[in-house]
Amino acid sequence: LVRRLPRRRDEARPLLRSAILAAAETVFAERGFHGARIQDIATKAGIAAGTVYNHFAHKDDVLVAILEEHSRELLEQLEARPDDPEDFAALLEARVGRLLAYVQRHRAFFAIAYEQGLFAGGAAPGARVSARPLAKVESFRSLFLGLVEQGIKAGALEPLEAEILARFLGGTMRAFVLSSLTDGRGDASAQEHAALTVDLFLHGAARRERATPGGRR
Amino acid sequence: LVRRLPRRRDEARPLLRSAILAAAETVFAERGFHGARIQDIATKAGIAAGTVYNHFAHKDDVLVAILEEHSRELLEQLEARPDDPEDFAALLEARVGRLLAYVQRHRAFFAIAYEQGLFAGGAAPGARVSARPLAKVESFRSLFLGLVEQGIKAGALEPLEAEILARFLGGTMRAFVLSSLTDGRGDASAQEHAALTVDLFLHGAARRERATPGGRR
Amino acid sequence: LVRRLPRRRDEARPLLRSAILAAAETVFAERGFHGARIQDIATKAGIAAGTVYNHFAHKDDVLVAILEEHSRELLEQLEARPDDPEDFAALLEARVGRLLAYVQRHRAFFAIAYEQGLFAGGAAPGARVSARPLAKVESFRSLFLGLVEQGIKAGALEPLEAEILARFLGGTMRAFVLSSLTDGRGDASAQEHAALTVDLFLHGAARRERATPGGRR
Amino acid sequence: LVRRLPRRRDEARPLLRSAILAAAETVFAERGFHGARIQDIATKAGIAAGTVYNHFAHKDDVLVAILEEHSRELLEQLEARPDDPEDFAALLEARVGRLLAYVQRHRAFFAIAYEQGLFAGGAAPGARVSARPLAKVESFRSLFLGLVEQGIKAGALEPLEAEILARFLGGTMRAFVLSSLTDGRGDASAQEHAALTVDLFLHGAARRERATPGGRR
DNA sequence: CATGAATGAGTCTTCATTCAT
DNA sequence: GATGAATGAAGACTCATTCAT
């Protein structure tokens, strides 16, 4: 899809594709997919409407490109890293923290992702652009599943149906993702949110009988 | 679906209104708001397209009517009832159970509700029909808030920010609502789901050290 | 396709379909299929552009409807009639006469028909709207074939390949059809043209050795 | 198809022009004028789209160039040649034979020529690129006229209106040109077709009373 | 009040043409 | 001269909304 390589002059224009995606991200987020006009995107990107079609065959493809692109990056935040802690709770917190930080950096994307049901297995099918579930969306779900299964195996989580726990984790995170999106607090809170998310996910909201020192952050 | 039957001239006609709403609920759920055509709704309601406009000024208003209507009923499920238990956990479970049962009876509505961000404070703004948050959506949120505040006061919940706990409750429920919508299991599971929802909300997913008998349902 | 039946008032509007076809016939003839805009047709028909789509799903379908409609009528001119003469030459002249008269009454149609290769088995494939040969076009060809075969059987035509004679007949008629279209002479000449067409088709353009009085019409 | 080969700097470059015309001939024939994109032509010619505009100011001009070019060559086939027979029938056959042979060598061109009404005085005006009759098309017509007038003068043709006989000749030839285009028979049949064309043109399709030996081929 | 054809503003998409490199 | 990405005018088609019947 990216065929124009940097040429002479100082820099180049393959950036256009990125510029279109960036503009589309904002516009889709503001107006929703159907409400967004190609012309809006083009204008925001500082180009002509026709130019969009030099990079994407259909309006749909612009959306798909955004979703795939960000989903990939999003997935990377959840993947294992060399310096990840051993302890499951700590591990979870690290990953959730990375994910929330990513969310804060790409708020517009998440507005779109929700519309397209990124986190939701069964959300508004009609809002979706494509009938088939987007590939990356599916892998996102598996990643949650994997995390949870790992937790169960490690004995850190209750041996419930993994599918259910995965949804619970998703739901919990969704709640905080929304907080991140809405609150407008600075990035500083990503780690706090992560800590709280993991804590609630693991121990719930019930009052702890005898709060041992340091037990609750 | 609702044919105009020969009626006494003075009899209630607003049945048509209900028929339109019922048809719209299905169509919106299947195709999303933007993907649904007035003609589709009219056809499914067994009336002419123009007739819809005798009952609703705009397409938007049909959606709003659906949301308001169901939100009201939904709220009623969460409201206090004379026979509600005293114990917070039991109380919560009763209400959540009612709500999940309602969800199972109105799956189509929830597909729409998600698209419009019913549970989500900040979901897809672009997908929304109206910029201002729908009135009932807001009250739905307050109801969650009330529930949580009640729990905190009763000493059943950790004394955290109510807003956060409300979102956590919402996220948890959302996870199970999705299960209900997706699984396709019969209504039988509403209470099970409710129990699990409340349990996870209260105690989290972490493995309980020494599961005392009866500790986990 | 015609579902609107005449209603109260004085006359009615199922005429709209006919009005659209009539307008399209003129516009297609003037500007060619690609050069004709739906808006042009609508304007000429005195209606809104969108209305065209209440009667035809695609621009293509308007053209197809014209071709099918006229082809059918055209075929009827060539078909046998009770009062057709016995003698092959006279028979041919009668039919060709009817056809030429029809041509003169529907000049615009023929401009379109040529563009779409109505007479031509292999004309400009690219100009055609649909890849598959139009059904009626094919039957038109068979009708020519039938005529010629009849002539061969009757011993009136040389026993050559029917396919070839059919084309020759088609080519001859085409020449006079064009004359009819171009000349702009009144309808009076339809029969003259027919007589000449048949005469040339049967006896060619070579000088008749001793033109017996009355031999050449 | 024509790659730019390393050439001496002063060598003729207009080869590109020919390459473009050759490519355009094929593409126009396959898709029709309106259906052919400049990009298609450029691709088939192995050059960039912009390059076409270094040789032709407009898409129209490419078509005109093709028509003019081929029309000129086509006319040459019909012109008198030193070794042409004296006898009109033989002369006609020789020229028609040359023309049909040319047709077989340039099938693509004829698909275009028909679309643009090369043979037809009054065919699809809308399909035409330019409103004014193409210059060469006109001379083509005059040439037919000239041939026929010559025949009349020589006493070989009936003294009818030359215009009419010219059209009859055109129509007859058109029929066989189409045969040539459609049949896909090898070049071998050019002479046969020519003989038949001339025979039918001169003597018609009517059964000859007493076929004198050798009278009909 | 119901009807449903007519309306026409709104958008995606195409593609001839331009022009900086 | 060649390149090919950018341009933007043009046009088919959709569908919410109106209104005469």
Side-chain angles (χ1 to χ4, degrees), chain C residues 70-116:
Chain C
H70 280 289
S71 298
R72 190 172 47 66
E73 292 176 8
L74 193 59
L75 287 172
E76 286 168 13
Q77 311 305 315
L78 281 178
E79 279 167 3
R81 293 198 183 171
D83 56 340
D84 273 344
E86 286 282 324
D87 175 55
F88 183 73
L91 173 84
L92 197 57
E93 193 177 317
R95 293 188 185 175
V96 169
R98 291 201 294 262
L99 187 139
L100 289 178
Y102 184 84
V103 166
Q104 287 181 339
R105 274 182 276 124
H106 300 278
R107 297 173 182 228
F109 164 65
F110 279 85
I112 301 171
Y114 283 133
E115 188 186 4
Q116 299 300 319

Side-chain angles (χ1 to χ4, degrees), chain B residues 54-178:
Chain B
N54 289 334
H55 296 270
F56 301 92
H58 301 280
K59 186 187 177 188
D60 289 9
D61 295 333
V62 179
L63 177 62
V64 168
I66 290 176
L67 291 178
E68 300 275 321
E69 175 94 2
H70 280 288
S71 298
R72 191 173 45 68
E73 292 178 8
L74 193 58
L75 287 172
E76 287 168 13
Q77 311 304 315
L78 282 177
E79 279 166 2
R81 292 196 183 174
D83 57 340
D84 273 343
E86 286 282 324
D87 174 58
F88 182 73
L91 174 83
L92 197 57
E93 192 175 319
R95 294 187 183 175
V96 169
R98 291 202 294 263
L99 187 140
L100 289 179
Y102 183 85
V103 166
Q104 289 181 338
R105 275 181 276 124
H106 301 279
R107 298 176 180 224
F109 164 65
F110 279 86
I112 302 172
Y114 281 133
E115 188 186 4
Q116 299 301 321
L118 185 61
F119 290 91
R128 294 213 192 128
V129 165
S130 105
R132 66 179 158 69
L134 298 166
K136 291 292 175 183
V137 172
E138 205 44 42
S139 25
F140 190 75
R141 204 168 151 230
S142 349
L143 213 146
F144 265 21
L145 260 182
L147 252 180
V148 165
E149 277 165 358
Q150 182 179 345
I152 295 176
K153 259 185 209 147
L157 298 180
E158 284 279 303
L160 295 172
E161 217 177 311
E163 185 77 34
I164 285 183
L165 286 186
R167 274 193 182 126
F168 177 47
L169 178 55
T172 305
M173 284 189 44
R174 194 178 199 280
F176 285 92
V177 162
L178 283 179

Side-chain angles (χ1 to χ4, degrees), chain D:
Chain D
L1 293 184
V2 176
R3 303 281 153 53
R4 273 149 294 128
L5 301 174
R7 286 165 280 164
R8 275 159 296 135
R9 196 136 41 85
D10 50 37
E11 199 190 352
R13 304 283 180 57
L15 287 182
L16 258 196
R17 191 179 190 276
S18 307
I20 292 170
L21 288 179
E25 187 175 332
T26 307
V27 177
F28 282 151
E30 280 171 359
R31 305 218 233 292
F33 179 75
H34 284 285
R37 282 163 297 177
I38 289 290
Q39 181 61 64
D40 296 333
I41 296 171
T43 299
K44 174 151 293 202
I47 60 175
T51 303
V52 173
Y53 287 85
N54 288 334
H55 296 269
F56 301 92
H58 302 279
K59 187 186 176 187
D60 289 9
D61 296 333
V62 178
L63 177 61
V64 168
I66 289 176
L67 290 177
E68 301 275 320
E69 175 93 3
H70 279 290
S71 298
R72 191 173 45 67
E73 292 177 9
L74 192 59
L75 288 172
E76 287 168 13
Q77 311 304 315
L78 281 178
E79 280 165 2
R81 291 199 183 172
D83 55 342
D84 272 344
E86 287 282 325
D87 174 57
F88 182 73
L91 173 84
L92 198 57
E93 191 176 320
R95 292 188 184 175
V96 169
R98 291 202 295 263
L99 187 140
L100 288 178
Y102 183 84
V103 166
Q104 289 182 336
R105 275 181 276 121
H106 299 279
R107 299 175 178 226
F109 164 66
F110 279 86
I112 302 171
Y114 281 134
E115 188 186 5
Q116 298 300 319
L118 184 61
F119 289 92
R128 295 212 191 130
V129 165
S130 106
R132 65 179 160 70
L134 298 166
K136 290 293 175 183
V137 172
E138 207 43 42
S139 24
F140 189 77
R141 203 166 152 231
S142 350
L143 213 146
F144 266 21
L145 259 183
L147 252 179
V148 166
E149 278 165 356
Q150 182 179 344
I152 295 175
K153 258 187 210 142
L157 299 179
E158 284 280 303
L160 294 172
E161 216 178 313
E163 185 75 36
I164 284 183
L165 286 186
R167 274 196 182 125
F168 177 47
L169 177 56
T172 306
M173 284 189 43
R174 195 179 197 281
F176 285 91
V177 161
L178 283 179
S179 299
S180 295
L181 288 178
T182 311
D183 291 3
R185 302 180 196 164
D187 303 64
S189 55
Q191 279 314 314
E192 296 173 32
H193 270 163
L196 199 45
T197 302
V198 170
D199 188 54
L200 286 173
F201 171 70
L202 291 177
H203 308 110
R207 172 141 204 133
R208 318 286 158 85
E209 294 307 338
R210 291 151 285 164
T212 51
R216 161 86 54 175
R217 264 166 276 213

Side-chain angles (χ1 to χ4, degrees), chain B residues 4 16 48 50-51 54:
Chain B
R4 274 149 293 128
L16 258 196
T51 304
N54 289 334

